[in-house]
Amino acid sequence: MFQLPMPLDRDQSLIRIRFTSFAVGTICCPLFGFLFCVVWSLFFNFTETTATHCGVPNYLPSISAAIGGETPQRYVWRIAIGLHSAPRLLVAILYWKYYLGSPCAHHWYRTLCHINFTLTVMENSCLIILTYVSSTENFVYTLFAFLEYLVVLSNMAFHMTAYWDFSNKELIVSSVLEDKRF
């Protein structure tokens, strides 16, 4: 097993990141991926990404043509969404534990916490399906993912509230010290 060198501080943390930096970095993954795809399409695939069936001239590519039509853009977009999805699942778990730990005497509270967590995981899963499964490959899965994603689209703005809710928190990756006896 590979052992990482331990830092010299007392809490034995390997990585320490402010949650606000973590949230902004997570949000920037699809933004930078999208901007790269549009700029790359404009410079290197302008005719392919702006072409229409009816022959109307376009000056900018459509979003679907920019992120999924040509080879380098498709992979950059998929990597950006993949990097974006894992932290979103972490934030969903963080919110779930945060809400379950909040004091509330209402009898529906825990059920609503579980429903919120389930919808968040479903939204993230459908974003991944929309990104990695092409509509030409499997239309049924893509249609389901698109319809479900439209229903919970407002949830994406809700995730940015984590920036304010957990602004004084840090993400710490640490190693638990074990009491070894030989």
Side-chain angles (χ1 to χ4, degrees):
M1 185 165 100
F2 181 69
Q3 295 288 329
L4 292 173
M6 298 300 290
L8 297 176
D9 59 348
R10 294 182 194 264
D11 64 355
Q12 301 298 322
S13 60
L14 298 174
I15 300 171
R16 183 181 296 253
I17 302 171
R18 293 213 33 96
F19 192 84
T20 52
S21 303
F22 181 72
V24 169
T26 300
I27 296 297
C28 286
C29 282
L31 173 66
F32 290 141
F34 172 71
L35 292 175
F36 171 83
C37 290
V38 169
V39 169
W40 190 275
S41 296
L42 286 173
F43 285 119
F44 299 107
N45 303 107
F46 184 78
T47 30
E48 294 89 355
T49 57
T50 58
T52 61
H53 297 292
C54 56
V56 176
N58 282 337
Y59 302 105
L60 287 174
S62 67
I63 293 173
S64 59
I67 64 174
E70 300 299 322
T71 305
Q73 297 94 310
R74 181 182 321 137
Y75 297 122
V76 168
W77 179 250
R78 287 180 179 180
I79 290 170
I81 292 300
L83 290 173
H84 175 73
S85 297
R88 283 184 61 182
L89 284 173
L90 179 66
V91 169
I93 293 169
L94 182 69
Y95 260 120
W96 185 46
K97 291 184 182 271
Y98 175 75
Y99 287 145
L100 287 177
S102 299
C104 184
H106 197 274
H107 63 281
W108 284 98
Y109 183 75
R110 292 186 65 82
T111 305
L112 291 174
C113 288
H114 293 302
I115 290 171
N116 181 34
F117 176 71
T118 303
L119 289 175
T120 304
V121 170
M122 279 181 56
E123 177 203 0
N124 201 24
S125 301
C126 288
L127 175 63
I128 294 169
I129 290 170
L130 280 173
T131 300
Y132 288 97
V133 178
S134 172
S135 60
T136 57
E137 293 172 11
N138 197 332
F139 181 72
V140 175
Y141 290 130
T142 306
L143 180 64
F144 166 75
F146 178 70
L147 292 176
E148 193 278 336
Y149 196 70
L150 285 178
V151 171
V152 294
L153 189 61
S154 62
N155 198 13
M156 292 177 74
F158 174 73
H159 286 293
M160 195 51 201
T161 62
Y163 181 86
W164 294 287
D165 290 342
F166 302 112
S167 62
N168 60 345
K169 305 293 184 209
E170 293 178 336
L171 178 69
I172 300 174
V173 178
S174 64
S175 174
V176 179
L177 294 176
E178 298 176 12
D179 189 22
K180 296 185 179 180
R181 297 185 181 128
F182 296 101

